[in-house]
Amino acid sequence: MSTKHVSVLLNEVINSFEHLESEDLVVDSTLGGGGHAKGILSVYPHVRLIGLDRDDNALEIARGNLEEFGKRVRLFKSNFSDLDNVFESLKISKVQAILADLGMSSFQLDDEKRGFSFRMNGPLDMRMGLNEKSAYDVINTYREEELARVIYEYGEERFSRRIARRVVEKRPIYTTSELVNVIIVAMPASARKRWKSTVIRVFQAVRIEVNEELKNLKTLIEVARKYLSTNGRITVISFHSLEDRIVKRAFLREEFIPISKKPVLPSENERRENPRSRSAKLRTAKKA
Ligand SMILES: C[S@@+](CC[C@H](N)C(=O)[O-])C[C@H]1O[C@@H](n2cnc3c(N)ncnc32)[C@H](O)[C@@H]1O
């Protein structure tokens, strides 16, 4: 595949783990192509890393990218919400760092048949892993009110009701292009020139619902609370306000000490060179 995934806030992620010492154990819970993992393993030469992804394709790419680190790396196909099971199976009771770089990788976004991108005509899929529900199921089987709720809550889209109504009228809908057309026609004519932002919000909403992204994030933070050693750190890169809100609130609760009040944002340079980074916010907290 010709796609390349450029890791967002790479140096900032590495710096957020400056507390690491020799032999410490780091978990990359969203391995993707392994870009962040590679940076961490290179800069902190004696740490060991457990890498997780729910996507087979990501694991395969990461395995190739991290080969040089040999036994320092162990990779698992798992949802990060099941991280405690991975720890139990490995008899691990404490780790010193956990990373989550949320959302999709470019490998996923640019693969037409995965159906993540509104710019390509793919099937309504959007599954990151093997979860059973796909975008097809959400779009074609949810009741109108349920669909409106998903679009409103996870997309923060004000035309949610009109869009849900139109979707239900036009079902069955099979492809991403069909869905884009239905969304545009559902919008009031006066708002249609801003169709792209609405489409992006609806796609985001459906993807969050399909992959249970917010629920999984909350579970991951709970697991981190339990398994991080004292002064161990968790770093999360989020890509929209719903995720960032969850992280920010969780880091203000007891047992976590946020490393800074404000999130770390990409530099001008990074924003220019990697448009995917533009909405990224990085937060780090340490375990009290
Ligand atoms: C933005 S990419 C990570 C890129 C990676 N940090 C790098 O530098 O190459 C996010 C990855 O997390 C995975 N992912 C998303 N949610 C997940 C979850 N709940 N459990 C496990 N993996 C997940 C996706 O499949 C995707 O490969």
Side-chain angles (χ1 to χ4, degrees):
M1 211 185 293
S2 62
T3 296
K4 190 171 166 348
H5 178 91
V6 181
S7 301
V8 169
L9 292 164
L10 177 59
N11 288 329
E12 292 81 354
V13 164
I14 292 172
N15 293 339
S16 75
F17 293 149
E18 64 189 0
H19 67 298
L20 287 173
E21 291 176 2
S22 211
E23 309 293 322
D24 275 354
L25 195 49
V26 178
V27 177
D28 183 346
S29 70
T30 53
L31 197 61
H36 285 121
K38 190 171 186 156
I40 293 166
L41 287 156
S42 310
V43 171
Y44 303 107
H46 298 292
V47 302
R48 294 161 298 140
L49 183 134
I50 292 175
L52 256 59
D53 205 294
R54 65 203 286 192
D55 184 332
D56 277 320
N57 187 35
L59 284 170
E60 200 184 308
I61 299 168
R63 194 158 279 130
N65 267 340
L66 302 176
E67 215 175 352
E68 63 188 279
F69 302 103
K71 292 212 170 91
R72 291 173 62 203
V73 179
R74 294 172 82 174
L75 304 186
F76 296 89
K77 177 173 175 162
S78 169
N79 191 311
F80 59 55
S81 63
D82 293 327
L83 185 57
D84 51 352
N85 291 333
V86 175
F87 288 154
E88 270 169 38
S89 70
L90 295 172
K91 302 205 173 5
I92 288 172
S93 56
K94 290 288 171 211
V95 298
Q96 284 68 46
I98 297 179
L99 170 66
D101 171 22
L102 303 170
M104 297 162 286
S105 69
S106 305
F107 303 116
Q108 292 167 327
L109 188 63
D110 296 346
D111 187 348
E112 186 172 65
K113 59 182 186 307
R114 306 288 297 264
F116 284 110
S117 172
F118 75 91
R119 295 173 205 275
M120 298 176 204
N121 189 16
L124 283 178
D125 190 331
M126 298 196 196
R127 287 172 304 164
M128 285 188 189
L130 281 181
N131 42 342
E132 282 147 40
K133 191 176 22 179
S134 69
Y136 178 89
D137 300 319
V138 172
I139 291 295
N140 290 294
T141 68
Y142 275 31
R143 283 182 296 112
E144 185 179 323
E145 310 80 76
E146 256 183 309
L147 208 49
R149 179 193 59 79
V150 166
I151 298 171
Y152 184 73
E153 273 182 26
Y154 298 159
E156 300 182 306
E157 169 52 48
R158 65 190 174 121
F159 300 127
S160 55
R161 291 224 178 107
R162 301 173 66 119
I163 294 168
R165 194 178 321 130
R166 188 82 191 174
V167 163
V168 169
E169 275 166 24
K170 288 288 167 189
R171 298 200 296 214
I173 298 169
Y174 295 101
T175 65
T176 49
S177 300
E178 282 176 70
L179 180 59
V180 170
N181 286 333
V182 170
I183 297 167
I184 296 174
V185 173
M187 295 173 71
S190 57
R192 272 186 209 143
K193 56 178 182 301
R194 289 187 303 278
W195 66 272
K196 256 191 210 161
S197 7
T198 294
V199 166
I200 288 171
R201 284 195 287 268
V202 176
F203 271 58
Q204 169 185 301
V206 177
R207 199 199 77 214
I208 291 176
E209 174 71 11
V210 165
N211 295 289
E212 303 186 324
E213 294 180 24
L214 304 183
K215 186 171 135 217
N216 290 335
L217 176 58
K218 288 179 188 157
T219 309
L220 174 70
I221 297 174
E222 276 313 306
V223 178
R225 193 192 301 279
K226 199 163 141 203
Y227 282 89
L228 273 179
S229 55
T230 305
N231 290 325
R233 292 186 178 195
I234 172 167
T235 291
V236 181
I237 304 177
S238 59
F239 288 88
H240 53 77
S241 55
L242 299 166
E243 288 170 343
D244 186 54
R245 209 171 300 151
I246 291 173
V247 179
K248 186 176 163 186
R249 286 195 186 145
F251 285 5
L252 287 174
R253 274 190 249 133
E254 283 166 47
E255 295 183 64
F256 281 126
I257 304 169
I259 295 299
S260 69
K261 266 195 189 145
K262 294 232 163 89
V264 177
L265 307 178
S267 65
E268 269 305 311
N269 203 20
E270 177 166 8
R271 293 161 67 87
R272 202 174 37 246
E273 281 177 10
N274 183 10
R276 212 181 64 81
S277 73
R278 285 184 192 152
S279 49
K281 286 188 179 160
L282 177 151
R283 292 186 190 270
T284 303
K286 69 174 177 182
K287 177 82 187 297

